[in-house]
Amino acid sequence: NAGVMQNPRHLVRRRGQEARLRCSPMKGHSHVYWYRQLPEEGLKFMVYLQKENIIDESGMPKERFSAEFPKEGPSILRIQQVVRGDSAAYFCASSHGPVKEQYFGPGTRLTVT
Amino acid sequence: SQQGEEDPQALSIQEGENATMNCSYKTSINNLQWYRQNSGRGLVHLILIRSNEREKHSGRLRVTLDTSKKSSSLLITASRAADTASYFCATDNAGNMLTFGGGTRLMVKP
């Protein structure tokens, strides 16, 4: 049973470029969560999605950030026109149902130069 | 502000000793979960304790929950060097997400 997959594991972008982070949930899981972790800090919730629906995006910055979870394929977290402050580790988690026990992927470490 | 706050922020012990980490939170919860994160890696789920439970065990881990004090503790007994990691508590307050604390960085010296 494959766990939560995220790719790429490391991503370097210059300021102003776009970053696309992908997450494939565990088999059988239809609930996906994205979290951001700054160095030496805990995880901060960004967005919660089910297939084709954004359920809660209360943690998403109002501009430049978007997320989707299409009917087919992985969930995508997209950051447009990246800035240095976007440098962080972005973790995806999936679960059987709302919240429950969440299983985390290995994360994507974004570095903006 | 964060829902969960871990205490201490950092803990250094010798192998074989017990490690206790505490977590306090602010609002009512459905359950509280503890996770471990090795440096540069993802989070590993350790244990979930529901709001109507007071204590739970899993191997060398013991978790307590005091809803009247809005606090939880994680005890790791007979620690090993491999237990070196950051430990986070996360609360589920019937919203759509887990709310994480800042973590306790545990170092176990061989």
Side-chain angles (χ1 to χ4, degrees):
Chain A
N1 241 355
V4 178
M5 311 283 283
Q6 287 189 252
N7 68 82
R9 294 291 305 277
H10 299 275
L11 182 61
V12 179
R13 284 286 178 267
R14 291 199 186 95
R15 277 181 299 172
Q17 290 185 320
E18 179 180 288
R20 278 183 178 244
L21 289 63
R22 284 176 289 278
C23 168
S24 297
M26 280 184 72
K27 188 176 180 181
H29 287 187
S30 60
H31 299 255
V32 166
Y33 311 80
W34 284 93
Y35 294 84
R36 177 165 63 178
Q37 184 180 34
L38 296 172
E40 306 298 319
E41 293 188 12
L43 278 70
K44 298 289 196 298
F45 168 79
M46 298 182 75
V47 62
Y48 162 44
L49 309 105
Q50 292 180 38
K51 286 283 186 182
E52 300 184 278
N53 284 307
I54 296 174
I55 307 301
D56 184 341
E57 55 182 349
S58 58
M60 287 275 271
K62 294 283 185 280
E63 298 174 349
R64 301 187 298 107
F65 285 71
S66 63
E68 62 177 9
F69 189 16
K71 189 176 180 181
E72 301 290 338
S75 175
I76 306 284
L77 179 66
R78 183 179 175 212
I79 312 172
Q80 296 178 287
Q81 298 175 312
V82 295
V83 300
R84 288 227 171 97
D86 297 332
S87 295
Y90 291 84
F91 289 95
C92 166
S94 71
S95 69
H96 272 299
V99 189
K100 298 293 185 289
E101 292 177 19
Q102 294 186 12
Y103 295 84
F104 282 79
T108 293
R109 276 150 189 82
L110 172 66
T111 302
V112 179
T113 61
Chain B
S1 61
Q2 296 192 71
Q3 164 76 321
E5 295 287 345
E6 283 92 338
D7 165 54
Q9 289 188 328
L11 181 61
S12 181
I13 59 174
Q14 292 295 135
E15 207 166 26
E17 293 179 338
N18 295 343
T20 300
M21 289 159 266
N22 302 298
C23 168
S24 60
Y25 57 92
K26 296 184 176 70
T27 65
S28 61
I29 60 172
N30 277 351
N31 64 65
L32 184 145
Q33 305 181 36
W34 284 90
Y35 287 83
R36 183 185 73 219
Q37 184 181 35
N38 289 82
S39 180
R41 308 292 285 273
L43 275 75
V44 174
H45 184 269
L46 295 177
I47 200 163
L48 180 154
I49 186 164
R50 302 188 193 286
S51 61
N52 61 353
E53 296 177 309
R54 291 296 164 259
E55 189 170 311
K56 206 161 182 179
H57 297 254
S58 176
R60 293 184 297 114
L61 305 181
R62 174 178 165 247
V63 169
T64 63
L65 178 64
D66 186 337
T67 52
S68 67
K69 294 181 180 176
K70 291 188 169 57
S71 67
S72 173
S73 67
L74 170 67
L75 168 68
I76 304 174
T77 60
S79 64
R80 304 166 182 167
D83 294 330
T84 294
S86 291
Y87 291 82
F88 295 91
C89 70
T91 53
D92 162 17
N93 59 354
N96 290 315
M97 80 291 282
L98 292 174
T99 305
F100 284 81
T104 292
R105 279 160 284 287
L106 173 66
M107 175 172 289
V108 181
K109 299 175 188 174

